[in-house]
Short mmCIF file of all heavy atoms in Angstrom, two decimals:
data_model
loop_
_atom_site.label_atom_id
_atom_site.label_comp_id
_atom_site.label_asym_id
_atom_site.label_seq_id
_atom_site.Cartn_x
_atom_site.Cartn_y
_atom_site.Cartn_z
N PRO A 1 2.54 21.76 3.34
CA PRO A 1 1.60 21.12 2.52
C PRO A 1 2.25 20.57 1.12
O PRO A 1 2.90 21.32 0.54
CB PRO A 1 0.57 22.16 2.20
CG PRO A 1 1.30 23.49 2.26
CD PRO A 1 2.45 23.23 3.17
N VAL A 2 1.91 19.40 0.82
CA VAL A 2 2.35 18.67 -0.38
C VAL A 2 1.18 18.21 -1.19
O VAL A 2 0.44 17.36 -0.77
CB VAL A 2 3.38 17.58 -0.11
CG1 VAL A 2 3.86 17.03 -1.48
CG2 VAL A 2 4.48 18.10 0.68
N ALA A 3 1.01 18.79 -2.43
CA ALA A 3 -0.13 18.38 -3.32
C ALA A 3 0.26 17.06 -4.00
O ALA A 3 1.48 16.95 -4.46
CB ALA A 3 -0.46 19.37 -4.23
N LEU A 4 -0.58 16.09 -4.16
CA LEU A 4 -0.35 14.85 -4.79
C LEU A 4 -0.78 15.13 -6.33
O LEU A 4 -2.06 15.06 -6.60
CB LEU A 4 -1.17 13.69 -4.18
CG LEU A 4 -0.78 13.50 -2.68
CD1 LEU A 4 -1.66 12.32 -2.16
CD2 LEU A 4 0.65 13.10 -2.60
N THR A 5 0.18 15.27 -7.16
CA THR A 5 -0.14 15.49 -8.54
C THR A 5 0.33 14.36 -9.44
O THR A 5 0.09 14.49 -10.66
CB THR A 5 0.51 16.81 -8.95
OG1 THR A 5 1.97 16.71 -8.77
CG2 THR A 5 0.01 18.06 -8.19
N GLU A 6 1.09 13.42 -8.92
CA GLU A 6 1.53 12.34 -9.70
C GLU A 6 0.74 10.99 -9.40
O GLU A 6 0.81 10.56 -8.21
CB GLU A 6 3.12 12.15 -9.35
CG GLU A 6 3.97 13.30 -9.84
CD GLU A 6 4.03 13.41 -11.30
OE1 GLU A 6 3.83 12.43 -12.06
OE2 GLU A 6 4.47 14.47 -11.81
N GLU A 7 0.10 10.46 -10.38
CA GLU A 7 -0.64 9.20 -10.20
C GLU A 7 0.43 8.04 -10.19
O GLU A 7 1.39 7.99 -10.85
CB GLU A 7 -1.52 9.03 -11.31
CG GLU A 7 -2.48 7.80 -11.16
CD GLU A 7 -3.57 7.78 -12.23
OE1 GLU A 7 -3.60 8.68 -13.08
OE2 GLU A 7 -4.35 6.82 -12.29
N GLY A 8 0.09 7.02 -9.30
CA GLY A 8 0.99 5.92 -9.09
C GLY A 8 1.76 5.97 -7.84
O GLY A 8 1.28 6.58 -6.80
N VAL A 9 2.95 5.39 -7.77
CA VAL A 9 3.79 5.18 -6.56
C VAL A 9 4.52 6.53 -6.26
O VAL A 9 5.15 6.99 -7.19
CB VAL A 9 4.65 4.00 -6.51
CG1 VAL A 9 5.41 3.88 -5.27
CG2 VAL A 9 3.89 2.74 -6.85
N ASN A 10 4.37 7.05 -5.10
CA ASN A 10 5.21 8.15 -4.63
C ASN A 10 5.87 7.85 -3.29
O ASN A 10 5.31 7.18 -2.57
CB ASN A 10 4.18 9.41 -4.38
CG ASN A 10 3.61 10.04 -5.61
OD1 ASN A 10 3.87 11.24 -5.89
ND2 ASN A 10 2.82 9.29 -6.36
N TYR A 11 7.15 8.46 -3.19
CA TYR A 11 7.84 8.13 -2.01
C TYR A 11 8.19 9.37 -1.21
O TYR A 11 8.48 10.43 -1.87
CB TYR A 11 9.23 7.43 -2.41
CG TYR A 11 9.03 6.15 -3.25
CD1 TYR A 11 9.17 6.23 -4.65
CD2 TYR A 11 8.82 4.91 -2.60
CE1 TYR A 11 9.04 5.16 -5.34
CE2 TYR A 11 8.80 3.82 -3.44
CZ TYR A 11 8.86 3.82 -4.75
OH TYR A 11 8.78 2.70 -5.62
N PHE A 12 8.24 9.35 0.10
CA PHE A 12 8.54 10.47 0.90
C PHE A 12 9.49 10.02 1.99
O PHE A 12 9.33 9.02 2.54
CB PHE A 12 7.24 11.12 1.46
CG PHE A 12 6.20 11.60 0.52
CD1 PHE A 12 5.28 10.78 -0.20
CD2 PHE A 12 6.30 12.95 0.15
CE1 PHE A 12 4.42 11.33 -1.01
CE2 PHE A 12 5.45 13.47 -0.78
CZ PHE A 12 4.55 12.72 -1.39
N PHE A 13 10.42 10.93 2.24
CA PHE A 13 11.39 10.67 3.34
C PHE A 13 11.99 11.96 3.83
O PHE A 13 11.87 13.01 3.24
CB PHE A 13 12.46 9.64 2.94
CG PHE A 13 13.27 10.08 1.83
CD1 PHE A 13 14.57 10.62 2.13
CD2 PHE A 13 13.00 10.06 0.44
CE1 PHE A 13 15.46 11.04 1.16
CE2 PHE A 13 13.86 10.35 -0.45
CZ PHE A 13 15.06 10.95 -0.20
N SER A 14 12.70 11.90 4.97
CA SER A 14 13.49 12.96 5.53
C SER A 14 14.94 12.72 5.24
O SER A 14 15.50 11.62 5.54
CB SER A 14 13.24 13.08 6.96
OG SER A 14 14.08 14.07 7.56
N ALA A 15 15.60 13.66 4.71
CA ALA A 15 17.08 13.46 4.42
C ALA A 15 17.96 14.17 5.50
O ALA A 15 19.16 14.28 5.26
CB ALA A 15 17.38 14.13 3.04
N ALA A 16 17.44 14.48 6.61
CA ALA A 16 18.20 15.20 7.69
C ALA A 16 19.23 14.17 8.22
O ALA A 16 19.15 12.98 8.09
CB ALA A 16 17.26 15.65 8.78
N ASP A 17 20.33 14.73 8.66
CA ASP A 17 21.44 13.96 9.26
C ASP A 17 21.99 12.94 8.22
O ASP A 17 22.38 11.80 8.57
CB ASP A 17 21.00 13.18 10.44
CG ASP A 17 20.53 14.09 11.61
OD1 ASP A 17 20.98 15.19 11.68
OD2 ASP A 17 19.62 13.58 12.51
N GLY A 18 22.06 13.44 7.02
CA GLY A 18 22.65 12.71 5.92
C GLY A 18 21.93 11.46 5.59
O GLY A 18 22.46 10.45 5.08
N GLY A 19 20.64 11.44 5.85
CA GLY A 19 19.82 10.25 5.46
C GLY A 19 19.63 9.36 6.63
O GLY A 19 18.90 8.38 6.53
N ALA A 20 20.25 9.70 7.86
CA ALA A 20 20.12 8.77 8.97
C ALA A 20 18.64 8.61 9.45
O ALA A 20 18.19 7.61 9.82
CB ALA A 20 21.06 9.24 10.06
N GLN A 21 17.96 9.75 9.45
CA GLN A 21 16.55 9.69 9.85
C GLN A 21 15.68 8.70 9.01
O GLN A 21 14.90 7.99 9.40
CB GLN A 21 15.92 10.99 9.83
CG GLN A 21 16.52 11.93 10.89
CD GLN A 21 15.80 13.35 10.99
OE1 GLN A 21 14.94 13.59 10.16
NE2 GLN A 21 16.15 14.18 11.98
N CYS A 22 15.92 8.88 7.68
CA CYS A 22 15.22 7.95 6.64
C CYS A 22 15.55 6.58 6.92
O CYS A 22 14.68 5.64 6.95
CB CYS A 22 15.72 8.47 5.33
SG CYS A 22 14.94 7.27 3.98
N LEU A 23 16.76 6.20 7.19
CA LEU A 23 17.19 4.87 7.38
C LEU A 23 16.60 4.24 8.68
O LEU A 23 16.43 3.02 8.87
CB LEU A 23 18.69 4.74 7.40
CG LEU A 23 19.38 4.97 6.10
CD1 LEU A 23 20.90 5.07 6.32
CD2 LEU A 23 19.06 3.96 5.16
N GLN A 24 16.32 5.13 9.64
CA GLN A 24 15.67 4.66 10.87
C GLN A 24 14.15 4.78 10.85
O GLN A 24 13.52 4.80 11.93
CB GLN A 24 16.26 5.49 12.02
CG GLN A 24 17.79 5.34 12.29
CD GLN A 24 18.04 3.86 12.51
OE1 GLN A 24 17.38 3.20 13.19
NE2 GLN A 24 19.19 3.41 12.03
N GLY A 25 13.50 4.80 9.67
CA GLY A 25 12.06 4.70 9.65
C GLY A 25 11.32 5.98 9.32
O GLY A 25 10.08 5.91 9.23
N MET A 26 12.03 7.11 9.11
CA MET A 26 11.23 8.31 8.80
C MET A 26 11.06 8.50 7.27
O MET A 26 11.52 9.32 6.59
CB MET A 26 12.00 9.49 9.29
CG MET A 26 11.11 10.79 9.46
SD MET A 26 11.90 11.92 10.56
CE MET A 26 10.67 13.23 10.55
N ARG A 27 10.18 7.55 6.75
CA ARG A 27 9.94 7.52 5.27
C ARG A 27 8.71 6.59 5.19
O ARG A 27 8.27 5.82 6.04
CB ARG A 27 11.09 6.80 4.56
CG ARG A 27 11.47 5.41 4.93
CD ARG A 27 12.64 4.93 4.15
NE ARG A 27 13.09 3.64 4.60
CZ ARG A 27 14.02 2.91 4.01
NH1 ARG A 27 14.59 3.40 2.92
NH2 ARG A 27 14.45 1.80 4.51
N PHE A 28 7.92 6.82 3.97
CA PHE A 28 6.85 6.00 3.67
C PHE A 28 6.57 6.11 2.16
O PHE A 28 7.06 7.03 1.53
CB PHE A 28 5.62 6.36 4.49
CG PHE A 28 5.15 7.77 4.18
CD1 PHE A 28 4.16 8.05 3.32
CD2 PHE A 28 5.69 8.84 4.90
CE1 PHE A 28 3.77 9.34 3.08
CE2 PHE A 28 5.26 10.17 4.68
CZ PHE A 28 4.26 10.39 3.70
N ARG A 29 5.92 5.08 1.64
CA ARG A 29 5.43 5.13 0.20
C ARG A 29 3.97 5.02 0.17
O ARG A 29 3.33 4.41 1.03
CB ARG A 29 6.10 3.96 -0.53
CG ARG A 29 5.79 2.61 0.03
CD ARG A 29 6.27 1.49 -0.94
NE ARG A 29 5.27 1.36 -2.06
CZ ARG A 29 5.35 0.58 -3.00
NH1 ARG A 29 6.42 -0.23 -3.09
NH2 ARG A 29 4.48 0.39 -3.94
N ILE A 30 3.31 5.67 -0.85
CA ILE A 30 1.96 5.64 -1.11
C ILE A 30 1.57 5.33 -2.59
O ILE A 30 2.49 5.56 -3.42
CB ILE A 30 1.25 6.90 -0.74
CG1 ILE A 30 1.74 8.12 -1.55
CG2 ILE A 30 1.53 7.20 0.78
CD1 ILE A 30 1.15 9.39 -1.27
N THR A 31 0.48 4.92 -2.91
CA THR A 31 -0.02 4.72 -4.22
C THR A 31 -1.15 5.72 -4.42
O THR A 31 -2.20 5.63 -3.86
CB THR A 31 -0.47 3.22 -4.44
OG1 THR A 31 0.66 2.43 -4.32
CG2 THR A 31 -1.02 3.10 -5.88
N VAL A 32 -1.00 6.59 -5.44
CA VAL A 32 -1.97 7.63 -5.68
C VAL A 32 -2.87 7.20 -6.86
O VAL A 32 -2.40 6.95 -7.88
CB VAL A 32 -1.27 9.00 -5.98
CG1 VAL A 32 -2.38 10.11 -6.26
CG2 VAL A 32 -0.31 9.39 -4.87
#
């Protein structure tokens, strides 16, 4: 569970495999 405590743009991603998962789409951004 991750609480959203920062208003504005937040970024989330997976850094597994040296960031390879993130580069292949395992990431997203939201506006809180």
